[in-house]
Amino acid sequence: MEYIEEIQEQVILVGVQLDENDNVKESLDELEELADTAGAQTVGKIIQNRETVHPGTYIGKGKIEEVRALMLATDATGIICDDELSPAQMNNLEHELECKVMDRTLLILDIFAKHATTSEGKIQVELAQLRYRASRLVGLGASLSRLGGGIGTRGPGEKKLESDRRLIRKRITALKEELSQVEKHRELLRTGRTRGKMKTVAIVGYTNAGKSTLLNTLTGAGVLSEDKLFATLDPTTRALTLDDGQQILLTDTVGFIRKLPHNLVEAFKSTLEEAKYADYIIHVVDCSNPQAVQQMEVVYDTLQELGVQGKKTITLFNKVDVGAAIRLRDSMADHTLKVSAKTGEGLEDLKQLLGKILSEEQIYVEKLFTYQEAGKIQLIREYGQLLSEEYTDTGILVKARVPQEIHGKLM
């Protein structure tokens, strides 16, 4: 079997600033992180100020010449544009620069393909890839069959994909059916958790904010945790036992990012909707990041798009161990804490806060259970907080706090 050695790509990042309020420089810094995660090295950045994006080539003719000169000076093998390109823009830029042209969406899709491990993750990524390509069949020509290695060629969607709209549509239909079956299984799991009456918390946040590290530190979940964007894609649910004996379920979710491709939001909707069905939200913010405020806005905008509203929210300003954290506030949160998911600083406060929130939503019970009713006490142990139990001649005297859903079963 012949193997193609993957050579690290040298890329130039290109962005267009349409408004003085656009943070294009910061967006390109993030694009550089994405490129690094995908395995490419950034050797230059170019920003053009324009009133509108050039409809044919994204950037103007003068900037194209500037990009060409920088490519020659740096031996760059391609460019990555900070916005999603139309098929015509990508085709025209490839023709003008005679190099590989990628956009932000293609880069994120590639990273997702690289990090997808479960069958659901792989289906979701391939579905997003195919939708992206289906909208670009006209005019792309040879660029669709990039099988020489590198960014944009990874993932289950790269099995000698025929550039035929009918075949792609057929594959999309099959994948949607597979994903539908996975979603039904996820719904069964969710329903089972609801029947169990155990409260659930969705951990959300910008990519690389420290969500997986938080889950690992609290529960020992063993989720992959790297200082990379989108290090983990697949949601993981673990039970956390609080100091007072109460249990709560924590679910890690895929990270958010600015300009998150619509196809990915669609493909990963079932995963992202874990936040929609959770009882509470833990919003993890990397407070050491200069763009923390903008990242918080992206998270809340995405949650709103998913219909996640009215949930009790705890915002964790994470990574206080990294250095001097910028001062942050979150008016959208019910509670805020400063923590380090890596060192564990502040996590005891988080557990106490979770216990307090659970207790506030529970009903105080003081009752004498006959010995024939002793099985009901197990319900308290499992879903509530058993404060005390005293064995008497006539039964067991119990003082406890229980969720409203359990209260009726005890009476």
Side-chain angles (χ1 to χ4, degrees):
M1 185 182 290
E2 184 179 342
Y3 292 93
I4 300 173
E5 184 180 352
E6 189 170 314
I7 300 170
Q8 186 180 40
E9 298 180 56
Q10 314 280 321
V11 295
I12 292 169
L13 309 182
V14 181
V16 174
Q17 178 133 357
L18 304 177
D19 186 278
E20 61 180 14
N21 296 320
D22 288 348
N23 294 314
V24 179
K25 183 181 179 300
E26 289 82 2
S27 189
L28 284 189
D29 289 343
E30 183 176 84
L31 193 65
E32 182 176 2
E33 283 189 73
L34 287 166
D36 177 62
T37 301
Q41 180 185 5
T42 299
V43 294
K45 298 177 186 176
I46 287 180
I47 297 174
Q48 180 173 32
N49 293 301
R50 292 180 61 91
E51 290 185 4
T52 59
V53 168
H54 193 289
T57 52
Y58 183 62
I59 53 175
K61 192 169 182 61
K63 274 297 178 198
I64 289 176
E65 294 303 319
E66 192 177 323
V67 171
R68 183 183 286 113
L70 186 57
M71 288 188 69
L72 288 171
T74 58
D75 292 324
T77 55
I79 70 167
I80 303 176
C81 298
D82 194 37
D83 297 284
E84 188 169 317
L85 300 178
S86 70
Q89 288 170 331
M90 189 173 284
N91 208 30
N92 292 336
L93 276 175
E94 286 187 341
H95 178 73
E96 290 282 342
L97 295 170
E98 297 181 325
C99 75
K100 185 175 182 179
V101 176
M102 296 159 279
D103 62 14
R104 189 183 184 94
T105 299
L106 185 66
L107 186 61
I108 292 174
L109 285 170
D110 185 80
I111 293 168
F112 271 53
K114 183 180 180 182
H115 290 162
T117 54
T118 65
S119 59
E120 180 183 8
K122 289 174 182 177
I123 292 169
Q124 289 167 324
V125 170
E126 185 177 358
L127 189 56
Q129 286 177 326
L130 288 172
R131 282 172 171 160
Y132 175 83
R133 287 175 189 158
S135 65
R136 283 160 171 72
L137 283 177
V138 178
L140 270 178
S143 63
L144 257 183
S145 55
R146 297 187 185 124
L147 295 174
I151 296 170
T153 66
R154 271 186 278 256
E158 289 299 335
K159 295 172 282 194
K160 292 232 175 182
L161 182 67
E162 300 93 341
S163 58
D164 179 277
R165 195 180 298 276
R166 181 180 58 80
L167 290 175
I168 290 179
R169 193 178 294 127
K170 185 178 178 182
R171 179 64 180 150
I172 286 175
T173 301
L175 285 172
K176 285 170 76 174
E177 179 57 35
E178 284 184 54
L179 195 56
S180 174
Q181 296 302 316
V182 174
E183 287 172 1
K184 285 178 183 175
H185 178 64
R186 182 185 295 282
E187 183 62 34
L188 284 172
L189 290 176
R190 192 182 290 132
T191 303
R193 293 202 295 264
T194 304
R195 282 180 186 151
K197 308 304 179 188
M198 199 180 290
K199 296 292 185 181
T200 59
V201 179
I203 304 173
V204 304
Y206 209 77
T207 181
N208 204 31
K211 299 181 301 300
S212 297
T213 304
L214 177 69
L215 187 67
N216 286 340
T217 305
L218 286 173
T219 69
V223 179
L224 175 67
S225 176
E226 292 183 327
D227 188 18
K228 296 272 188 181
L229 303 184
F230 298 118
T232 52
L233 294 182
D234 304 301
T236 303
T237 300
R238 293 289 185 272
L240 171 65
T241 302
L242 303 176
D243 295 338
D244 57 12
Q246 296 184 89
Q247 282 198 323
I248 195 165
L249 290 173
L250 302 180
T251 299
D252 186 16
T253 62
V254 64
F256 302 154
I257 196 167
R258 74 182 89 190
K259 302 178 185 177
L260 187 65
H262 180 70
N263 283 334
L264 276 179
V265 175
E266 281 299 306
F268 279 80
K269 187 160 277 186
S270 64
T271 302
L272 293 168
E273 280 186 342
E274 286 294 319
K276 187 175 181 179
Y277 296 103
D279 297 294
Y280 314 114
I281 301 290
I282 289 180
H283 177 194
V284 183
V285 179
D286 177 0
C287 68
S288 69
N289 192 309
Q291 295 300 305
V293 173
Q294 290 85 347
Q295 292 180 355
M296 288 165 64
E297 290 173 358
V298 169
V299 171
Y300 282 122
D301 287 346
T302 308
L303 287 174
Q304 187 172 6
E305 183 182 344
L306 292 166
V308 182
Q309 292 173 310
K311 307 277 187 185
K312 188 163 285 189
T313 301
I314 302 170
T315 292
L316 301 183
F317 294 123
N318 187 32
K319 303 189 182 182
V320 293
D321 58 300
V322 173
I326 60 175
R327 291 183 179 178
L328 290 173
R329 290 182 178 179
D330 185 1
S331 59
M332 305 284 284
D334 298 280
H335 306 275
T336 58
L337 291 172
K338 293 180 181 179
V339 304
S340 169
K342 187 176 181 180
T343 67
E345 181 182 344
L347 295 190
E348 280 302 317
D349 293 336
L350 171 62
K351 289 165 76 172
Q352 287 176 18
L353 177 57
L354 287 171
K356 182 184 175 186
I357 290 171
L358 287 178
S359 296
E360 286 172 352
E361 297 189 5
Q362 293 176 338
I363 300 171
Y364 178 75
V365 173
E366 186 171 336
K367 183 181 177 183
L368 180 69
F369 290 93
T370 66
Y371 286 103
Q372 287 77 16
E373 297 176 306
K376 291 184 177 180
I377 300 174
Q378 185 56 35
L379 279 175
I380 299 174
R381 288 196 180 93
E382 196 168 350
Y383 303 116
Q385 187 178 5
L386 187 61
L387 302 175
S388 70
E389 56 182 326
E390 181 185 342
Y391 289 81
T392 69
D393 294 336
T394 55
I396 308 167
L397 180 61
V398 166
K399 295 178 182 178
R401 291 186 180 278
V402 296
Q404 293 180 8
E405 305 93 308
I406 299 298
H407 183 258
K409 296 180 180 180
L410 300 176
M411 295 298 104

PDB file of all heavy atoms in Angstrom, residues 15 52 67 97 139 146 177-178 216 234 236 269 287 333 344 378 392:
ATOM      1  N   GLY A  15      -7.817  38.421   5.435  1.00  0.00           N
ATOM      2  CA  GLY A  15      -9.095  38.884   5.966  1.00  0.00           C
ATOM      3  C   GLY A  15      -9.509  40.204   5.346  1.00  0.00           C
ATOM      4  O   GLY A  15      -8.669  40.945   4.822  1.00  0.00           O
ATOM      5  N   THR A  52     -17.056  46.643   0.700  1.00  0.00           N
ATOM      6  CA  THR A  52     -17.727  45.352   0.529  1.00  0.00           C
ATOM      7  C   THR A  52     -16.704  44.316   0.093  1.00  0.00           C
ATOM      8  O   THR A  52     -15.670  44.661  -0.483  1.00  0.00           O
ATOM      9  CB  THR A  52     -18.846  45.413  -0.539  1.00  0.00           C
ATOM     10  OG1 THR A  52     -18.267  45.819  -1.786  1.00  0.00           O
ATOM     11  CG2 THR A  52     -19.949  46.378  -0.142  1.00  0.00           C
ATOM     12  N   VAL A  67      -0.535  39.527  -1.998  1.00  0.00           N
ATOM     13  CA  VAL A  67      -0.528  38.145  -1.507  1.00  0.00           C
ATOM     14  C   VAL A  67       0.464  37.304  -2.310  1.00  0.00           C
ATOM     15  O   VAL A  67       1.229  36.511  -1.749  1.00  0.00           O
ATOM     16  CB  VAL A  67      -1.943  37.532  -1.588  1.00  0.00           C
ATOM     17  CG1 VAL A  67      -1.891  36.037  -1.282  1.00  0.00           C
ATOM     18  CG2 VAL A  67      -2.890  38.225  -0.619  1.00  0.00           C
ATOM     19  N   LEU A  97      -3.807  33.007  -8.133  1.00  0.00           N
ATOM     20  CA  LEU A  97      -2.616  32.783  -7.299  1.00  0.00           C
ATOM     21  C   LEU A  97      -1.908  31.466  -7.595  1.00  0.00           C
ATOM     22  O   LEU A  97      -0.785  31.244  -7.148  1.00  0.00           O
ATOM     23  CB  LEU A  97      -3.013  32.822  -5.820  1.00  0.00           C
ATOM     24  CG  LEU A  97      -3.528  34.178  -5.298  1.00  0.00           C
ATOM     25  CD1 LEU A  97      -4.119  34.029  -3.899  1.00  0.00           C
ATOM     26  CD2 LEU A  97      -2.408  35.210  -5.297  1.00  0.00           C
ATOM     27  N   GLY A 139     -18.639  24.990 -10.836  1.00  0.00           N
ATOM     28  CA  GLY A 139     -17.501  25.888 -10.970  1.00  0.00           C
ATOM     29  C   GLY A 139     -16.257  25.498 -10.220  1.00  0.00           C
ATOM     30  O   GLY A 139     -15.207  26.090 -10.418  1.00  0.00           O
ATOM     31  N   ARG A 146      -9.246  17.098  -4.336  1.00  0.00           N
ATOM     32  CA  ARG A 146      -7.934  17.271  -3.706  1.00  0.00           C
ATOM     33  C   ARG A 146      -7.652  16.066  -2.819  1.00  0.00           C
ATOM     34  O   ARG A 146      -8.107  16.011  -1.700  1.00  0.00           O
ATOM     35  CB  ARG A 146      -7.928  18.522  -2.824  1.00  0.00           C
ATOM     36  CG  ARG A 146      -8.154  19.830  -3.556  1.00  0.00           C
ATOM     37  CD  ARG A 146      -7.934  20.929  -2.542  1.00  0.00           C
ATOM     38  NE  ARG A 146      -8.243  22.228  -3.105  1.00  0.00           N
ATOM     39  CZ  ARG A 146      -9.108  23.061  -2.582  1.00  0.00           C
ATOM     40  NH1 ARG A 146      -9.775  22.708  -1.515  1.00  0.00           N
ATOM     41  NH2 ARG A 146      -9.314  24.238  -3.116  1.00  0.00           N
ATOM     42  N   GLU A 177     -30.389   9.626   7.685  1.00  0.00           N
ATOM     43  CA  GLU A 177     -31.124   8.491   8.261  1.00  0.00           C
ATOM     44  C   GLU A 177     -30.309   7.868   9.399  1.00  0.00           C
ATOM     45  O   GLU A 177     -30.854   7.544  10.468  1.00  0.00           O
ATOM     46  CB  GLU A 177     -31.410   7.457   7.173  1.00  0.00           C
ATOM     47  CG  GLU A 177     -32.144   6.211   7.665  1.00  0.00           C
ATOM     48  CD  GLU A 177     -33.472   6.506   8.339  1.00  0.00           C
ATOM     49  OE1 GLU A 177     -34.164   7.459   7.903  1.00  0.00           O
ATOM     50  OE2 GLU A 177     -33.820   5.797   9.304  1.00  0.00           O
ATOM     51  N   GLU A 178     -28.993   7.702   9.158  1.00  0.00           N
ATOM     52  CA  GLU A 178     -28.125   7.155  10.212  1.00  0.00           C
ATOM     53  C   GLU A 178     -28.143   8.066  11.433  1.00  0.00           C
ATOM     54  O   GLU A 178     -28.234   7.608  12.580  1.00  0.00           O
ATOM     55  CB  GLU A 178     -26.686   7.023   9.699  1.00  0.00           C
ATOM     56  CG  GLU A 178     -26.454   5.854   8.761  1.00  0.00           C
ATOM     57  CD  GLU A 178     -24.983   5.734   8.388  1.00  0.00           C
ATOM     58  OE1 GLU A 178     -24.148   5.659   9.312  1.00  0.00           O
ATOM     59  OE2 GLU A 178     -24.666   5.743   7.178  1.00  0.00           O
ATOM     60  N   ASN A 216     -13.160  16.594  33.492  1.00  0.00           N
ATOM     61  CA  ASN A 216     -12.163  15.622  33.954  1.00  0.00           C
ATOM     62  C   ASN A 216     -11.810  15.831  35.425  1.00  0.00           C
ATOM     63  O   ASN A 216     -11.730  14.880  36.199  1.00  0.00           O
ATOM     64  CB  ASN A 216     -10.890  15.728  33.105  1.00  0.00           C
ATOM     65  CG  ASN A 216     -11.062  15.138  31.721  1.00  0.00           C
ATOM     66  OD1 ASN A 216     -11.961  14.342  31.481  1.00  0.00           O
ATOM     67  ND2 ASN A 216     -10.203  15.534  30.791  1.00  0.00           N
ATOM     68  N   ASP A 234     -17.267  15.092  20.805  1.00  0.00           N
ATOM     69  CA  ASP A 234     -18.361  14.228  21.223  1.00  0.00           C
ATOM     70  C   ASP A 234     -18.758  14.513  22.668  1.00  0.00           C
ATOM     71  O   ASP A 234     -17.906  14.577  23.552  1.00  0.00           O
ATOM     72  CB  ASP A 234     -17.949  12.761  21.072  1.00  0.00           C
ATOM     73  CG  ASP A 234     -17.503  12.462  19.652  1.00  0.00           C
ATOM     74  OD1 ASP A 234     -18.319  12.667  18.737  1.00  0.00           O
ATOM     75  OD2 ASP A 234     -16.348  12.060  19.463  1.00  0.00           O
ATOM     76  N   THR A 236     -19.869  14.126  26.439  1.00  0.00           N
ATOM     77  CA  THR A 236     -19.653  13.100  27.462  1.00  0.00           C
ATOM     78  C   THR A 236     -20.461  13.473  28.692  1.00  0.00           C
ATOM     79  O   THR A 236     -20.412  14.618  29.141  1.00  0.00           O
ATOM     80  CB  THR A 236     -18.155  13.016  27.837  1.00  0.00           C
ATOM     81  OG1 THR A 236     -17.394  12.743  26.665  1.00  0.00           O
ATOM     82  CG2 THR A 236     -17.914  11.928  28.862  1.00  0.00           C
ATOM     83  N   LYS A 269     -26.581  19.782  15.673  1.00  0.00           N
ATOM     84  CA  LYS A 269     -27.691  20.309  16.463  1.00  0.00           C
ATOM     85  C   LYS A 269     -28.102  19.352  17.581  1.00  0.00           C
ATOM     86  O   LYS A 269     -28.378  19.768  18.702  1.00  0.00           O
ATOM     87  CB  LYS A 269     -28.881  20.620  15.553  1.00  0.00           C
ATOM     88  CG  LYS A 269     -30.019  21.334  16.269  1.00  0.00           C
ATOM     89  CD  LYS A 269     -30.944  22.048  15.308  1.00  0.00           C
ATOM     90  CE  LYS A 269     -30.418  23.400  14.927  1.00  0.00           C
ATOM     91  NZ  LYS A 269     -31.359  24.175  14.101  1.00  0.00           N
ATOM     92  N   CYS A 287     -10.809  33.376  31.079  1.00  0.00           N
ATOM     93  CA  CYS A 287     -10.651  34.773  31.474  1.00  0.00           C
ATOM     94  C   CYS A 287      -9.248  35.308  31.190  1.00  0.00           C
ATOM     95  O   CYS A 287      -8.997  36.508  31.322  1.00  0.00           O
ATOM     96  CB  CYS A 287     -11.016  34.962  32.951  1.00  0.00           C
ATOM     97  SG  CYS A 287      -9.874  34.185  34.101  1.00  0.00           S
ATOM     98  N   ALA A 333     -25.528  35.871  33.770  1.00  0.00           N
ATOM     99  CA  ALA A 333     -25.421  34.713  34.665  1.00  0.00           C
ATOM    100  C   ALA A 333     -26.104  34.967  36.000  1.00  0.00           C
ATOM    101  O   ALA A 333     -26.183  36.103  36.472  1.00  0.00           O
ATOM    102  CB  ALA A 333     -23.953  34.361  34.892  1.00  0.00           C
ATOM    103  N   GLY A 344      -7.784  22.969  40.051  1.00  0.00           N
ATOM    104  CA  GLY A 344      -8.855  22.672  40.996  1.00  0.00           C
ATOM    105  C   GLY A 344      -9.262  23.856  41.853  1.00  0.00           C
ATOM    106  O   GLY A 344     -10.217  23.772  42.635  1.00  0.00           O
ATOM    107  N   GLN A 378     -34.649   4.712  49.979  1.00  0.00           N
ATOM    108  CA  GLN A 378     -33.629   4.587  48.936  1.00  0.00           C
ATOM    109  C   GLN A 378     -33.824   5.651  47.855  1.00  0.00           C
ATOM    110  O   GLN A 378     -32.859   6.152  47.275  1.00  0.00           O
ATOM    111  CB  GLN A 378     -33.678   3.182  48.315  1.00  0.00           C
ATOM    112  CG  GLN A 378     -32.576   2.893  47.307  1.00  0.00           C
ATOM    113  CD  GLN A 378     -31.190   3.098  47.888  1.00  0.00           C
ATOM    114  OE1 GLN A 378     -30.936   2.830  49.059  1.00  0.00           O
ATOM    115  NE2 GLN A 378     -30.268   3.595  47.052  1.00  0.00           N
ATOM    116  N   THR A 392     -36.800   3.633  65.138  1.00  0.00           N
ATOM    117  CA  THR A 392     -37.648   3.554  66.332  1.00  0.00           C
ATOM    118  C   THR A 392     -38.418   2.234  66.323  1.00  0.00           C
ATOM    119  O   THR A 392     -38.320   1.449  65.381  1.00  0.00           O
ATOM    120  CB  THR A 392     -38.654   4.728  66.363  1.00  0.00           C
ATOM    121  OG1 THR A 392     -39.612   4.533  65.313  1.00  0.00           O
ATOM    122  CG2 THR A 392     -37.950   6.073  66.181  1.00  0.00           C
TER     123      THR A 392
END
